[in-house]
Amino acid sequence: MISEVEKIFSEFLEKKDLKLTSQRRTILHQAVKARGHFSAEELLGFSKGADRTISKATVYRTLALLKDSGTLEEHDFGGGKKLYEKAQGRRHHDHFVCIRCGKIIEFENDQIENLQDLEAKKQRFKVVYHSLKLFGFCSSCK
Amino acid sequence: MISEVEKIFSEFLEKKDLKLTSQRRTILHQAVKARGHFSAEELLGFSKGADRTISKATVYRTLALLKDSGTLEEHDFGGGKKLYEKAQGRRHHDHFVCIRCGKIIEFENDQIENLQDLEAKKQRFKVVYHSLKLFGFCSSCK
DNA sequence: CTTGATGCAAAGTGTTTGCAACTTA
DNA sequence: TAAGTTGCAAACACTTTGCATCAAG
């Protein structure tokens, strides 16, 4: 069976005259089935598990496509490396990041979103995307 | 005359048994007088202007101290390099980042801050600092 | 004079790229 | 079979670190 994400990704590729290779399909599947936030290195690990020949370069190149197609979202929670998470079919949310144990907690808050829109209007700024991260100590670490 | 920032920074160093060297003083002054957001590389340039012998390594090492002492704040607006801005004696603010021209616009919004506090309370999370960035097109670019 | 700081260059880290061989549409 | 894709290794950009020398307290 062909999943919804795969359909969306393949249509994205087609529209740009790009090809759906076996490597891209493997990486897509691994990225979508991973839970939580993962790094490029981790995704390479997952993908190698399914196809030993997949290279780091292909993972990075595919990650860019998955981001552009809206399949994944990229986050920088500090610590040098970027993290990714499934975005397709999920509602927008923001994050708490525990600076002791590294735990990431998601939350949705429409009131904050609305105030951001108002602020943008005030500044005549056209927001494309945003990032709100609250760093501190989670309930187990504080 | 000894400025307020210098006093705070030297007390910070003293408390940790670190020394206030001429290089640290120079870098501090350049960082504090720079307006807007600047990179480590730019700060190295400013500092070299005042003292040709200052090295990249010392700038990076001092930047860490300026951050820890609350003199500067570090931001990652994407684009690979971190940017810094004076924090001492300034009120907290967030940023719009134009993804076309790179312009950074600051704003303060207490309502958003309050809602963040409420959300943190709900999650039993102790927030130490946060970052809100709205990416998109500024009024001249949209 | 003891301990920490500096400059230099080398080493790291995560990510990107050039290229010849190879798939996909 | 044309055009995009891959794996490999080298290249990159930014930042950090080891070490012998130097300076602050």
Side-chain angles (χ1 to χ4, degrees):
Chain A
M1 79 305 185
I2 188 164
S3 64
E4 181 67 11
V5 264
E6 180 163 341
K7 202 177 97 188
I8 291 175
F9 187 51
S10 64
E11 280 167 4
F12 167 85
L13 292 175
E14 196 166 10
K15 205 173 306 175
K16 308 198 121 186
D17 285 307
L18 301 177
K19 295 169 180 173
L20 180 55
T21 63
S22 76
Q23 290 91 333
R24 286 183 181 162
R25 208 184 320 244
T26 297
I27 295 168
L28 166 68
H29 288 157
Q30 296 302 320
V32 161
K33 89 195 248 207
R35 71 282 185 283
H37 303 77
F38 54 90
S39 64
E41 192 184 12
E42 286 168 336
L43 181 55
L44 173 61
F46 304 153
S47 303
K48 269 191 189 298
D51 173 353
R52 195 58 47 81
T53 73
I54 284 180
S55 71
K56 182 186 296 191
T58 297
V59 166
Y60 276 106
R61 288 188 278 231
T62 303
L63 230 18
L65 296 172
L66 292 172
K67 216 191 325 173
D68 290 350
S69 64
T71 307
L72 296 182
E73 203 165 283
E74 182 184 80
H75 297 292
D76 186 346
F77 295 125
K81 58 185 65 171
K82 284 165 185 154
L83 296 186
Y84 300 84
E85 70 173 328
K86 182 177 172 184
Q88 201 59 255
R90 297 204 53 193
R91 297 193 46 184
H92 169 78
H93 56 268
D94 295 303
H95 301 90
F96 286 98
V97 183
C98 180
I99 55 183
R100 181 160 171 277
C101 72
K103 181 158 65 184
I104 294 171
I105 301 160
E106 306 180 346
F107 71 94
E108 287 182 23
N109 188 310
D110 292 339
Q111 290 183 78
I112 292 180
E113 305 286 319
N114 291 338
L115 286 171
Q116 289 175 13
D117 290 345
L118 274 178
E119 190 66 42
K121 204 157 287 174
K122 199 190 296 178
Q123 308 273 350
R124 291 203 202 71
F125 194 96
K126 169 72 185 158
V127 176
V128 177
Y129 61 95
H130 74 264
S131 135
L132 169 59
K133 285 165 285 185
L134 307 176
F135 297 89
F137 299 100
C138 72
S139 54
S140 347
C141 288
K142 71 180 174 189
Chain B
M1 80 306 186
I2 189 164
S3 64
E4 180 67 11
V5 264
E6 180 162 341
K7 202 176 97 188
I8 291 175
F9 187 50
S10 63
E11 279 166 6
F12 167 85
L13 292 176
E14 198 166 8
K15 205 173 306 173
K16 309 199 118 184
D17 284 306
L18 301 177
K19 295 168 180 173
L20 180 55
T21 62
S22 76
Q23 290 91 332
R24 286 181 180 164
R25 208 184 319 245
T26 298
I27 294 167
L28 166 67
H29 288 157
Q30 296 301 321
V32 162
K33 86 195 251 209
R35 70 281 185 283
H37 303 76
F38 54 89
S39 64
E41 192 184 12
E42 286 168 336
L43 181 56
L44 173 61
F46 303 154
S47 302
K48 269 189 188 299
D51 174 353
R52 194 60 45 80
T53 73
I54 285 179
S55 72
K56 181 187 298 191
T58 297
V59 166
Y60 275 106
R61 287 189 276 232
T62 303
L63 231 18
L65 296 172
L66 292 172
K67 217 190 325 169
D68 290 350
S69 65
T71 308
L72 297 183
E73 202 164 285
E74 182 183 82
H75 298 290
D76 187 346
F77 296 123
K81 59 183 65 172
K82 284 165 185 156
L83 295 185
Y84 300 84
E85 69 173 328
K86 182 178 173 184
Q88 200 59 255
R90 296 204 54 193
R91 296 193 47 184
H92 169 78
H93 57 268
D94 294 303
H95 302 89
F96 286 99
V97 183
C98 180
I99 55 183
R100 182 161 170 275
C101 73
K103 181 157 66 184
I104 294 170
I105 301 162
E106 304 179 346
F107 72 93
E108 286 181 22
N109 188 311
D110 292 339
Q111 290 183 77
I112 292 179
E113 306 285 319
N114 291 339
L115 287 172
Q116 288 176 13
D117 290 345
L118 274 178
E119 189 66 42
K121 202 157 289 174
K122 200 190 298 179
Q123 309 273 348
R124 289 203 204 73
F125 194 96
K126 169 73 186 157
V127 175
V128 177
Y129 60 95
H130 74 263
S131 136
L132 169 58
K133 286 166 283 186
L134 308 176
F135 296 88
F137 299 100
C138 71
S139 54
S140 346
C141 288
K142 71 181 175 187

